[in-house]
Amino acid sequence: MKALQYRAVGQEPEVVELETPEPGPGQVRLKVTAAGACHSDSFVMSLPEEAAAGYHLPLTLGHEGAGIVDKLGDGVIGVSVGEAVAVYGPWGCGYCYNCAQGKENYCENAAALGIQPPGLGAPGAMAEYLIVDNARHLVPLGDLDPVQNVALTDAGLTPYHAIKYAIDRLAPGSTAVVIGAGGLGHVAIQILRAITSARVIALDVSEQKLELAREVGAHHVFASDATAADNVRSVAPHGVDAVFDFVVIQPTIDLGQAILGSEGRQLLVGVGAGSAKVGVVSGNPYESSIMAPYWGSRSELFEVLELARNGSVTVETEVFSLDDAPEAYRRLHDGTLRGRAVVVP
Ligand code: NAD
Ligand code: ZN
């Protein structure tokens, strides 16, 4: 089968021919219908040798996946061949307390057991076939279009989880800020509009992304630059109730702290780095909280797909063939994609 692999540190991913994998006991093989390209893949491909070793190169990319159940390993029950499914990516052991609540993103045993998400350690979905380790990690797609909706497994689930954390702050009259209106951010805006009453402000460095933000429902859009804090304050003089930062570099962390109101929530979702001040005399607003969430729970993925089913969330997608997948990553890196790049094998 054909697959897109990140093979060597510092090199572009390439399309290679691999043996089609067979599902072992308890595993499910999918014929992949769609796979999304996430900025986290670019992050992995930017890591130096030592850190990249944890991802087991050559790595088949793709942690957003959808497919048709194609073959069942011994003992698999609950899914049938021919069923259309989306893949829940943050695989856990299924046995610990967090997994028992569906929060496999915070599995207590995954690291010790060497369990990694597909495309982020285990072979991913940018291939003709994908092995899913357990039927528990499949969510029925029904008649949802896999290409249109595959990105919801991460670009939908991750912002949904973050927004639910802040939802008690997002009452009518509240304000939410989305920093970075790319793959995750443009879905975040729609989820905020669908499940909260908050006024939504989007900030980005790209004019094109700000246009998209407005199209998908942001009430206000501003350039993410030195004028941003004043512009946000002109709309929300007492500070904002939640900031969803899909960039997370020192300037966006500082901006988030500058616009947050008391009891506000600052959610650092982007895989960047920097430091934030916390303390009564340190400058962060009273009783504000800072959180760095990772992905979401299994039941939340069901909920996100419902938002697509009822028409509240539509992912903007640019479609690429598997052969053109390296170009999708170039465009992601250059920041010229509209919404999410989706690879269709
Ligand atoms: P993306 O490239 O599609 O979007 C990033 C957006 O940020 C772009 O629109 C870009 O123009 C904008 N941007 C860049 N610099 C900015 C700045 N200074 N101010 C405002 N906007 C700026 O990326 P994506 O796939 O949406 O991923 C976003 C981030 O989320 C990445 O860091 C990714 O690794 C991370 N991520 C985290 C999780 C998690 O579980 N925490 C899950 C998935 C992705
Ligand atoms: Zn991702």
Side-chain angles (χ1 to χ4, degrees), residues 56-338:
H56 311 300
L57 311 194
L59 170 69
T60 300
L61 293 168
H63 57 269
E64 293 179 344
I68 302 287
V69 175
D70 160 80
K71 193 170 180 183
L72 303 179
D74 283 347
V76 173
I77 53 164
V79 290
S80 350
V81 170
E83 203 177 327
V85 291
V87 179
Y88 173 78
W91 296 350
C93 70
Y95 183 66
C96 70
Y97 184 65
N98 287 343
C99 283
Q101 299 169 82
K103 297 192 272 188
E104 298 201 25
N105 49 327
Y106 302 139
C107 174
E108 296 158 28
N109 300 319
L113 294 172
I115 299 172
Q116 290 177 297
L120 293 168
M126 295 222 175
E128 290 175 277
Y129 294 90
L130 169 70
I131 298 292
V132 175
D133 67 339
N134 193 296
R136 181 179 85 239
H137 296 140
L138 301 174
V139 177
L141 262 183
D143 51 14
L144 279 181
D145 176 28
V147 178
Q148 268 297 311
N149 294 290
V150 65
L152 293 176
T153 59
D154 179 18
L157 177 56
T158 300
Y160 183 75
H161 177 71
I163 290 164
K164 274 188 74 174
Y165 177 79
I167 204 157
D168 60 315
R169 299 294 311 152
L170 298 175
S174 65
T175 308
V177 171
V178 170
I179 305 180
L184 273 68
H186 91 286
V187 180
I189 293 165
Q190 297 177 62
I191 296 171
L192 282 164
R193 293 300 311 274
I195 69 171
T196 82
S197 307
R199 189 166 36 172
V200 179
I201 303 174
L203 307 175
D204 205 295
V205 289
S206 147
E207 190 53 46
Q208 185 204 355
K209 311 274 183 164
L210 290 178
E211 247 168 62
L212 173 61
R214 200 183 272 287
E215 280 172 39
V216 299
H219 297 94
H220 303 272
V221 303
F222 299 118
S224 178
D225 60 16
T227 65
D230 284 345
N231 284 328
V232 171
R233 287 245 171 222
S234 71
V235 176
H238 303 295
V240 307
D241 302 280
V243 174
F244 302 93
D245 185 343
F246 296 103
V247 184
V248 185
I249 51 179
Q250 197 60 51
T252 63
I253 297 172
D254 293 345
L255 173 60
Q257 296 213 292
I259 59 181
L260 207 61
S262 50
E263 297 181 72
R265 307 267 159 87
Q266 184 176 18
L267 287 115
L268 306 180
V269 183
V271 180
S275 56
K277 295 167 296 187
V278 183
V280 175
V281 292
S282 303
N284 70 307
Y286 290 129
E287 213 173 309
S288 60
S289 61
I290 301 172
M291 191 189 66
Y294 172 66
W295 227 327
S297 72
R298 277 171 53 207
S299 55
E300 285 171 336
L301 181 53
F302 280 79
E303 294 166 21
V304 170
L305 293 177
E306 284 308 318
L307 288 177
R309 222 163 256 132
N310 73 19
S312 305
V313 170
T314 307
V315 184
E316 283 293 322
T317 50
E318 290 201 40
V319 178
F320 295 81
S321 68
L322 199 44
D323 287 324
D324 288 338
E327 174 64 9
Y329 281 104
R330 271 177 231 130
R331 297 267 314 278
L332 180 63
H333 177 267
D334 296 343
T336 61
L337 287 168
R338 184 182 153 89

